[in-house]
């Protein structure tokens, strides 16, 4: 034992060098584990603003047959009609027969105003869902409808074209760690979902 201690004293520089190599190896292993765990998805970067700190306001997206479609920040007690007014009003061919104009809007709500022709087409396909009607997540994600990437289960996500178990788990991890998808294109932030895969499933999903 005394000989070992004497050897260590004589080889202090060598022992110190070996210790540094071992220490660097440990830190490198921990770094690789952390990087690998984050490769499944990348959360989008957002720039905080003063207006985002206001708790009594919500964000609503209005699309379709309005003069100025887009995203609007409104008070929590606003209704659908208020959002249409903010968007400059309806276009000449707009049809609100399938909308409840007095319905209170919610945060991240998407309002779509269809034209007369679009409403007719939807009626033919029996695909109109009246605003304000209570539906369950199961009803929203049936094979005949669209799959919500914000609420769908693992099994429901796996019914989408190009989405296996690994990608479905990554989608669920993304919304748990990064928050809800704000647009369908956010799927491109997930590893393994590129432009080609997204193009195949885009028509089958909603937020």
């Amino acid at each position: 034992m005394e000989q070992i201690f004497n050897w260590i004293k004589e080889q202090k520089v060598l022992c110190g060098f070996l210790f540094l190599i071992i220490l660097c190896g440990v830190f490198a292993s921990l770094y690789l584990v952390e990087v690998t765990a984050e490769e499944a998805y990348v959360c989008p970067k957002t720039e905080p603003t003063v207006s985002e700190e206001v708790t009594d306001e919500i964000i609503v997206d209005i699309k379709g047959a309005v003069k100025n479609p887009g995203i609007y920040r409104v008070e929590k007690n606003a209704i659908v009609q208020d959002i249409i007014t903010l968007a400059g009003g309806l276009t000449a061919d707009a049809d609100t027969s399938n909308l409840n104009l007095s319905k209170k809007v919610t945060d991240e709500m998407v309002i779509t105003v269809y034209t007369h022709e679009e409403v007719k087409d939807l009626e033919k396909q029996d695909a109109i869902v009246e605003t304000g009607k209570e539906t369950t997540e199961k009803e929203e994600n049936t094979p005949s409808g669209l799959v919500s990437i914000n609420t769908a289960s693992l099994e429901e996500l796996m019914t989408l074209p190009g989405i296996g178990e690994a990608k479905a788990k990554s989608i669920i991890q993304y919304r748990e760690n990064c928050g809800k998808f704000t647009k369908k294109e956010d799927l491109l932030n997930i590893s393994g979902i590129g432009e080609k895969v997204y193009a195949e499933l885009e028509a089958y999903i909603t937020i």
Side-chain angles (χ1 to χ4, degrees), residues 78-121:
I79 60 175
V80 172
Q81 180 61 60
D82 294 332
I83 311 304
I84 292 175
T85 301
L86 285 174
L90 302 169
T91 58
D93 57 347
D95 187 339
T96 61
S97 61
N98 66 312
L99 291 175
N100 179 355
L101 300 179
S102 64
K103 179 180 176 62
K104 284 189 177 182
V105 296
T106 57
D107 194 28
E108 299 181 1
M109 181 176 180
V110 178
I111 302 171
T112 302
V113 181
Y114 294 106
T115 64
H116 293 295
E117 290 300 320
E118 288 172 335
V119 169
K120 289 179 181 178
D121 290 339

Side-chain angles (χ1 to χ4, degrees), residues 156-174:
E156 289 166 339
L157 290 170
M158 290 173 62
T159 64
L160 294 169
I163 301 298
E165 183 175 358
K167 289 188 179 69
K169 286 182 178 178
S170 294
I171 292 173
I172 293 175
Q173 289 174 357
Y174 178 97

Side-chain angles (χ1 to χ4, degrees), residues 53-205:
E53 298 177 359
V54 180
T55 58
D56 59 347
E57 291 185 342
I58 58 177
I59 297 175
V60 181
D61 185 6
I62 184 167
K63 306 175 182 293
V66 290
K67 295 178 180 178
N68 299 300
I71 297 174
Y72 293 89
R73 187 179 293 275
V74 297
E75 295 182 356
K76 286 185 177 180
N77 61 352
I79 60 175
V80 172
Q81 180 61 60
D82 294 332
I83 311 304
I84 292 175
T85 301
L86 285 174
L90 302 169
T91 58
D93 57 347
D95 187 339
T96 61
S97 61
N98 66 312
L99 291 175
N100 179 355
L101 300 179
S102 64
K103 179 180 176 62
K104 284 189 177 182
V105 296
T106 57
D107 194 28
E108 299 181 1
M109 181 176 180
V110 178
I111 302 171
T112 302
V113 181
Y114 294 106
T115 64
H116 293 295
E117 290 300 320
E118 288 172 335
V119 169
K120 289 179 181 178
D121 290 339
L122 288 172
E123 288 175 342
K124 291 178 182 178
Q125 299 169 16
D126 293 326
I128 290 183
V129 179
E130 295 179 359
T131 303
K133 177 182 178 182
E134 295 295 331
T135 57
T136 64
E137 291 181 5
K138 182 177 180 180
E139 289 172 337
E140 292 174 350
N141 294 320
T142 55
S144 60
L146 298 177
V147 174
S148 170
I149 55 178
N150 277 325
T151 60
S153 65
L154 178 70
E155 292 74 16
E156 289 166 339
L157 290 170
M158 290 173 62
T159 64
L160 294 169
I163 301 298
E165 183 175 358
K167 289 188 179 69
K169 286 182 178 178
S170 294
I171 292 173
I172 293 175
Q173 289 174 357
Y174 178 97
R175 72 194 189 200
E176 288 177 349
N177 296 327
C178 302
K180 289 183 178 182
F181 293 92
T182 58
K183 56 183 183 298
K184 295 189 288 186
E185 291 81 359
D186 285 342
L187 283 175
L188 294 171
N189 293 323
I190 298 175
S191 177
I193 301 182
E195 296 288 348
K196 184 177 180 182
V197 173
Y198 176 76
E200 293 176 354
L201 60 83
E202 194 270 339
Y204 301 94
I205 60 174

